[in-house]
Amino acid sequence: MSVTDPQPPAPDPRSDAAQEALHDRIAADSLTTRRDYLRIVATVSGGLAVGGVAVASGILHRHGDSEGAPEAKRIADQLLPGESLAFRYPGSEDRAVAVRLEDGTLAGYSAVCTHLACGVLWRKDRGSEGELYCPCHEGVFDARTGEVTAGPPPRGLPKVVLVEETDGSVWAIGTARSGESAREGLCRQLGDDRPELADRLGCSGASARGAAGERSERT
């Protein structure tokens, strides 16, 4: 008795053709996927670049850009130490955040990062007083002043001027640009619209002193 190895069956031409067609389809799908991926990456990268240029050049709306005095808005019945509140002010497109520090200080800021306009979050458990944090590029802002303490943001957060009434309610009454104090922002916005309030804040006196100083320098 002889033993022989089994011979493989003859190849089926139809099977070879099916395999080649499947290979061609996979290759085409792979090429399409690579092209789509590169197109998505290019689109996102381009969008971030354009967004960065737009924010830096001031094309996009910035919190506190309005010249007129915004209407006062009640944002909370009460805000306790350690608490924060997200709200919109002065317009429906202006994201803002109010925080009450542990010592009772009330502070309000734009909730839009000055780097690439990502949302800013309040982190109570960071540092001695908490911090305002942008998760997109690790930007960090001081909770008491709004100034940059870490990361790529080029300037501090614009302020939202907050006041507390005797009943404990918290009101937003104006905004201040990056680098402006709350009083400077209010004086700029009030201008001739609400002179009685401007006088109470001492805006008129400050303007008059500034004008007098400029005249004395010129003479």
Side-chain angles (χ1 to χ4, degrees):
M1 180 178 65
S2 63
V3 178
T4 58
D5 293 330
Q7 297 298 316
D12 185 350
R14 291 175 299 177
S15 176
D16 289 343
Q19 289 181 0
E20 289 180 3
L22 178 61
H23 179 273
D24 291 343
R25 187 161 59 251
I26 292 173
D29 290 344
S30 177
L31 179 60
T32 301
T33 301
R34 287 196 298 272
R35 286 174 177 169
D36 290 342
Y37 173 76
L38 292 174
R39 183 164 58 249
I40 292 170
V41 169
T43 301
V44 171
S45 300
L48 288 175
V50 171
V53 171
V55 171
S57 62
I59 295 173
L60 296 181
H61 172 76
R62 286 178 178 169
H63 211 123
D65 271 350
S66 60
E67 291 294 339
E71 293 293 327
K73 179 181 180 180
R74 184 185 184 120
I75 64 168
D77 294 335
Q78 189 179 34
L79 196 62
L80 299 176
E83 290 185 343
S84 68
L85 173 70
F87 62 102
R88 302 274 177 151
Y89 185 82
S92 59
E93 76 281 7
D94 295 309
R95 291 174 288 166
V97 59
V99 297
R100 173 84 78 176
L101 303 182
E102 291 296 341
D103 66 359
T105 299
L106 192 61
Y109 302 100
S110 165
V112 178
C113 183
T114 56
H115 180 219
L116 289 177
C118 291
V120 171
L121 308 174
W122 165 246
R123 300 203 296 188
K124 176 184 175 181
D125 58 341
R126 295 300 182 99
S128 60
E129 296 188 308
E131 68 182 19
L132 295 158
Y133 170 71
C134 176
C136 291
H137 302 93
E138 303 293 322
V140 181
F141 303 87
D142 185 273
R144 189 172 290 273
T145 66
E147 294 304 313
V148 181
T149 60
R155 58 190 176 278
L157 292 171
K159 297 178 179 66
V160 176
V161 185
L162 303 178
V163 295
E164 185 177 15
E165 295 296 332
T166 55
D167 63 356
S169 62
V170 179
W171 292 71
I173 62 170
T175 61
R177 294 169 178 164
S178 297
E180 278 186 329
S181 68
R183 180 175 174 276
E184 289 170 340
L186 283 177
C187 288
R188 172 179 53 80
Q189 291 178 326
L190 291 172
D192 297 329
D193 293 340
R194 300 172 66 183
E196 73 290 345
L197 184 53
D199 287 340
R200 287 172 56 189
L201 291 170
C203 300
S204 298
S207 300
R209 286 193 297 272
E214 291 177 359
R215 286 195 298 270
S216 63
E217 289 178 2
R218 287 197 296 268
T219 57

